[in-house]
Amino acid sequence: MRTQVAIVGAGPAGLLLSHLLDRSGIESVIVETRERDYVEARIRAGILEQSTTDLLREAGLGDRMGREGEEHRGIYLQVPHERHHVDFVDLVGRRVTVYGQTELTKDLGRARAAAGQEIRYGVRGTAVHDLDTDRPYVTFTGPDGATERLDADVVVGCDGSFGPCRAAIPAAAKQTWQRTYPYAWLGILADVAPSTDELIYAWHPDGFAMHSMRSPTVSRLYLQVPTDTDLAEWPDDRIWDALATRLGHGQDGWTLTPGPITDKSVLPMRSFVQQPMRHGRLFLAGDAAHIVPPTGAKGLNLAVADVALLAPALTALLKDRNPALADAYSDTALRRVWRCTHFSWWMTTMLHQSGDPFDQQLQLSQLRWLATSRAGQAGLAENYAGLPIGL
Ligand code: PHB
């Protein structure tokens, strides 16, 4: 098999890249280890920055998002007995949209299927080869057990942190940075109307809590828990009790309405960056190159920002034989990656209990400053609502 761009991974980054390339007349084939149903059902992020929604609309992917996504002006930041609204629209003129990654992945999958995109789901043993030449290729075993070879001009790794692409860059040619945080999130999805109009991020001595949502009838909530948490020790009542305490049920007349929990999981929290995001004819995008902790909802948006740079860069490289944008891709993308890595680290360390009383005082001071300073809020808003693509 031969194509122009071989894409490893059919998550949002890989699907969006194939869509944008197709619109500029570049052909691609996607290989994915999971089955389509799994990819479209996994529960992930839920907040899209304005730069993300603008790009999706321009790419003709905004119809259902426009109908079902919910636009938010800002977020609530909370310490016990005080809840403050940070209004992004007032502060920086930008808003965010609540639309689950699950829904976006389905929209992308449908758009690609309608365009006749070749996507090979359920493959095994994916490996990338000859990246230092201009004839790289990908090998994999199809669901029928036959080994296949996909030749391309360029290979793009959109295969997340455990895929083969990141690892294929030789150790001598790369640098990595990592931070693991000494806590995790217990996340739930519940069939109940959200108890808030916009997201609540709550600092609490028992640990961080957050109230998010997926739709007018589905709530998504999180609790800070120890990294070794066993879900068996968290029956539904215990989860709702902890959420009620940390989110301030009963304060100023606010109530948290519990409901049936449909999904429960423990999410690790870490920061990771690998650079460069290109090696020869291999380019990395999204989680394959960087991981952020979920506080601040940057992961999906960052993947979209990578792809927004990469699609025109590959188009110029393959159509016009102009390598300038492709050569600049890694440096340009990494500027935003490090900004978001810092922002996610800052939100995370400001809101979670670390066990250190000195940290607690710094956190409370920082949150007091955010509650009272327009300059502080504007900094948060600028980062949260999304910097322009190509920052
Ligand atoms: C979510 O809805 O899953 C979500 C929202 C905001 C975050 C993290 C996760 O900061």
Side-chain angles (χ1 to χ4, degrees):
M1 223 184 338
R2 165 146 200 104
T3 188
Q4 289 177 289
V5 180
I7 300 175
V8 183
L15 292 170
L16 180 60
L17 179 64
S18 77
H19 182 90
L20 297 179
L21 289 174
D22 188 7
R23 284 167 67 89
S24 33
I26 304 281
E27 208 183 74
S28 64
V29 172
I30 308 179
V31 296
E32 165 64 53
T33 50
R34 315 279 193 173
E35 297 300 335
R36 180 170 173 180
D37 289 352
Y38 175 88
V39 174
E40 292 188 353
R42 61 185 166 185
I43 299 158
R44 292 285 163 93
I47 302 288
L48 304 181
E49 294 171 5
Q50 185 157 335
S51 44
T52 300
T53 49
D54 288 349
L55 178 115
L56 293 171
R57 281 199 186 97
E58 266 167 45
L61 295 162
D63 287 355
R64 196 161 69 96
M65 179 182 76
R67 285 195 308 276
E68 297 177 21
E70 221 182 284
E71 291 197 340
H72 284 193
R73 293 182 64 92
I75 58 167
Y76 295 100
L77 272 183
Q78 179 171 314
V79 294
H81 309 292
E82 280 176 56
R83 184 176 293 172
H84 295 276
H85 190 244
V86 179
D87 192 312
F88 305 155
V89 178
D90 270 0
L91 290 158
V92 296
R94 295 163 79 82
R95 55 185 79 234
V96 294
T97 300
V98 173
Y99 192 62
Q101 174 170 330
T102 315
E103 303 313 314
L104 176 59
T105 309
K106 282 186 212 154
D107 294 347
L108 286 164
R110 278 176 207 152
R112 296 321 299 135
Q117 172 71 38
E118 172 110 31
I119 308 181
R120 304 292 302 274
Y121 286 98
V123 306
R124 283 176 293 120
T126 309
V128 294
H129 312 269
D130 287 2
L131 305 172
D132 291 320
T133 74
D134 53 14
R135 298 179 163 270
Y137 64 97
V138 179
T139 52
F140 56 90
T141 305
D144 57 359
T147 299
E148 300 188 47
R149 171 173 167 150
L150 171 61
D151 288 279
D153 297 318
V154 162
V155 177
V156 182
C158 299
D159 51 341
S161 45
F162 302 110
C165 291
R166 169 198 290 178
I169 300 184
K174 69 188 175 194
Q175 225 180 333
T176 61
W177 291 264
Q178 178 149 224
R179 165 120 343 152
T180 45
Y181 300 88
Y183 32 75
W185 277 9
L186 191 166
I188 62 162
L189 262 187
D191 277 338
V192 60
S195 298
T196 178
D197 57 341
E198 298 194 339
L199 275 58
I200 305 170
Y201 288 77
W203 183 98
H204 193 277
D206 291 356
F208 172 71
M210 187 170 81
H211 192 327
S212 182
M213 60 200 71
R214 286 292 176 275
S215 74
T217 55
V218 176
S219 296
R220 177 88 168 135
L221 299 106
Y222 299 99
L223 285 169
Q224 177 187 344
V225 292
T227 48
D228 59 358
T229 292
D230 179 0
L231 278 178
E233 288 168 20
W234 285 87
D236 296 7
D237 287 352
R238 182 178 175 201
I239 293 174
W240 286 115
D241 286 350
L243 286 167
T245 302
R246 298 185 196 183
L247 290 169
H249 175 83
Q251 285 164 28
D252 298 325
W254 183 78
T255 54
L256 175 67
T257 309
I261 295 177
T262 57
D263 187 87
K264 236 187 248 189
S265 61
V266 175
L267 294 74
M269 317 262 292
R270 71 188 173 110
S271 300
F272 174 91
V273 180
Q274 172 169 311
Q275 68 187 55
M277 289 170 62
R278 174 200 188 167
H279 177 74
R281 285 282 171 131
L282 171 68
F283 294 79
L284 302 177
D287 287 5
H290 40 72
I291 297 288
V292 290
T295 332
K298 285 291 144 209
L300 172 60
N301 293 293
L302 206 42
V304 169
D306 288 348
V307 168
L309 290 174
L310 193 52
L314 295 181
T315 303
L317 180 70
L318 300 176
K319 240 189 183 167
D320 314 326
R321 304 281 152 207
N322 178 351
L325 289 176
D327 289 346
Y329 168 69
S330 179
D331 287 348
T332 309
L334 280 162
R335 285 210 295 273
R336 188 189 191 90
V337 168
W338 278 112
R339 177 89 304 281
C340 293
T341 299
H342 175 267
F343 177 67
S344 307
W345 165 87
W346 177 66
M347 289 285 281
T348 299
T349 54
M350 177 172 68
L351 289 163
H352 290 73
Q353 296 297 322
S354 69
D356 181 337
F358 180 74
D359 286 351
Q360 272 198 337
Q361 295 307 317
L362 295 181
Q363 292 171 334
L364 289 170
S365 169
Q366 179 94 312
L367 287 161
R368 214 170 293 125
W369 173 64
L370 280 174
T372 52
S373 158
R374 189 173 168 92
Q377 292 184 10
L380 188 154
E382 217 171 55
N383 282 280
Y384 196 113
L387 299 146
I389 298 272
L391 140 95

